């Protein structure tokens, strides 16, 4: 997935910029905003949010669908670059074909994790295959790489099998990182968790958490009560830190995405599809993409690569925007 906005703004985050990490359990309900993704789809963006830029190292969260793509092209995201991050693709329903500049060509299907580590630079495309299921529904997330790893070699991993926890009507698939002692095989570079939680009929569960992590949850299907807050699709519930467990209950057929991680202490600059540490990092990445350097070539996508939008004419001050 790509940020396809024509006029993206630089966003500063991490390191307590904007709203600081909540030092205690909180319940902040944040609405996502609709963002066009090319001509064919609208996604709901939850992160970065004006009031909450990151949750741990999670710095970007787009939710799409459920959308009827029967007889339509579906997802068409042309080759575009990334730096300084990992992309996590996770589907509830449907199928997406991933291609990247390392030569990877991988079908992304529900319950299987596709994880791309951009390191210093990679490019990829994402599209609905020619013959695709009628519904497209899922999320794409970005994880910011800590400074020590942001120039690492790029990589792509596909994990069809992930650890699953069962507890009091709750089934948790550990997509990324660690939850209640179960660890995903995905490569990660900071203390983090991303888990898909399925709640059975009338489930009442207490999920063990790491008190040093901050957490947030969104609903993928159905509706749930999360720590006493009625949560429906369209909102993200930020939960803060200092929790050793989370109370969950739900009606039938509910799925949640739980995100968490150790608070990300480094300040970041995000613009378009790049995560850097300074305005200059972003300018350089944009120049490298425009000049055909650093990000390789995606083969097999039927269409032109995405051109980088123009840089914003203003440069953000180091402290970024406060709300
Ligand atoms: Mn992308």
């Amino acid at each position: 997935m790509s940020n396809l906005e024509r006029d993206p703004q630089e966003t500063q985050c991490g390191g307590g910029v904007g709203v600081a990490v909540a030092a205690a359990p909180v319940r902040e309900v944040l609405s996502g905003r609709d963002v066009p993704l090319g001509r064919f789809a609208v996604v709901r963006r939850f992160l970065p949010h004006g009031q909450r830029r990151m949750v741990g190292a999670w710095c970007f969260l787009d939710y799409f669908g459920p959308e009827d793509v029967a007889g339509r092209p579906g997802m068409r995201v042309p080759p575009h670059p990334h730096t300084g991050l990992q992309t996590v693709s996770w589907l509830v329903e449907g199928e997406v074909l991933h291609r990247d500049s390392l030569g990877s060509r991988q079908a992304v299907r529900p319950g299987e994790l596709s994880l791309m580590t951009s390191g210093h630079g990679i490019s990829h495309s994402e599209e609905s295959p020619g013959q695709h299921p009628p519904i497209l529904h899922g999320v794409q997330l970005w994880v910011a790489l800590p400074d020590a790893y942001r120039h690492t070699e790029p990589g792509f991993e596909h994990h069809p099998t992930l650890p699953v926890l069962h507890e009091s009507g709750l089934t948790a698939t550990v997509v990324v990182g660690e939850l209640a002692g179960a660890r995903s095989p995905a490569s990660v570079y900071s203390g983090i968790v991303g888990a898909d939680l399925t709640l059975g009929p009338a489930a009442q569960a207490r999920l063990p958490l790491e008190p040093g992590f901050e957490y947030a949850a969104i609903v993928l299907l159905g509706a749930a009560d999360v720590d006493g807050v009625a949560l429906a699709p369209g909102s993200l519930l930020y939960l803060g830190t200092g929790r050793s467990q989370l109370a969950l209950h739900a009606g039938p057929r509910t799925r949640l995405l739980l995100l968490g991680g150790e608070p990300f202490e480094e300040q970041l600059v995000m613009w378009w599809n790049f995560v850097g540490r300074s305005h200059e990092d972003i300018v350089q990445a944009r120049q490298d993409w425009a000049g055909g350097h650093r990000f390789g070539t995606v083969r097999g996508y039927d269409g032109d690569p995405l051109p980088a939008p123009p840089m914003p004419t203003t440069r953000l001050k180091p402290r970024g925007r406060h709300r």
Side-chain angles (χ1 to χ4, degrees), residues 64-238:
F64 50 91
E67 186 175 354
D68 186 348
V69 293
R72 299 169 56 211
M75 185 181 287
R76 296 281 300 162
V77 181
H80 61 277
H82 286 293
T83 188
L85 58 85
Q86 296 177 288
T87 63
V88 171
S89 300
W90 185 250
L91 292 181
V92 177
E93 204 170 349
E95 184 173 334
V96 172
L97 176 62
H98 162 99
R99 304 175 199 263
D100 66 40
S101 53
L102 303 176
S104 315
R105 185 182 183 283
Q106 178 66 53
V108 181
R109 298 193 178 99
E112 303 180 359
L113 167 65
S114 283
L115 175 77
M116 187 178 78
T117 301
S118 78
H120 189 58
I122 198 168
S123 53
H124 71 150
S125 63
E126 293 152 296
E127 62 195 293
S128 297
Q131 296 286 325
H132 52 257
I135 301 296
L136 184 59
H137 186 193
V139 287
Q140 195 183 73
L141 304 111
W142 299 352
V143 180
L145 288 170
D147 195 47
Y149 299 101
R150 68 189 181 105
H151 296 300
T152 192
E153 290 295 310
F156 177 79
E157 301 169 25
H158 183 73
H159 297 285
T161 306
L162 297 162
V164 176
L165 300 164
H166 298 278
E167 182 167 326
S168 327
L170 168 77
T171 301
T173 302
V174 186
V175 180
V176 169
E178 190 166 353
L179 182 70
R183 170 160 281 279
S184 161
S187 299
V188 292
Y189 299 90
S190 57
I192 194 166
V193 66
D196 186 317
L197 313 178
T198 298
L199 292 154
Q204 300 228 18
R206 290 193 176 273
L207 187 66
L209 299 184
E210 168 58 53
F213 281 15
E214 54 179 347
Y215 288 93
I218 65 167
V219 170
L220 299 174
L221 278 178
D225 182 306
V226 180
D227 191 30
V229 177
L231 193 60
S235 298
L236 176 144
L237 176 63
Y238 177 71

Side-chain angles (χ1 to χ4, degrees), residues 19-28 52 211 213-214 238-242 263:
V19 178
V21 172
V26 295
R27 300 175 191 89
E28 284 177 17
R52 183 62 59 190
F213 281 15
E214 54 179 347
Y238 177 71
L239 293 159
T241 62

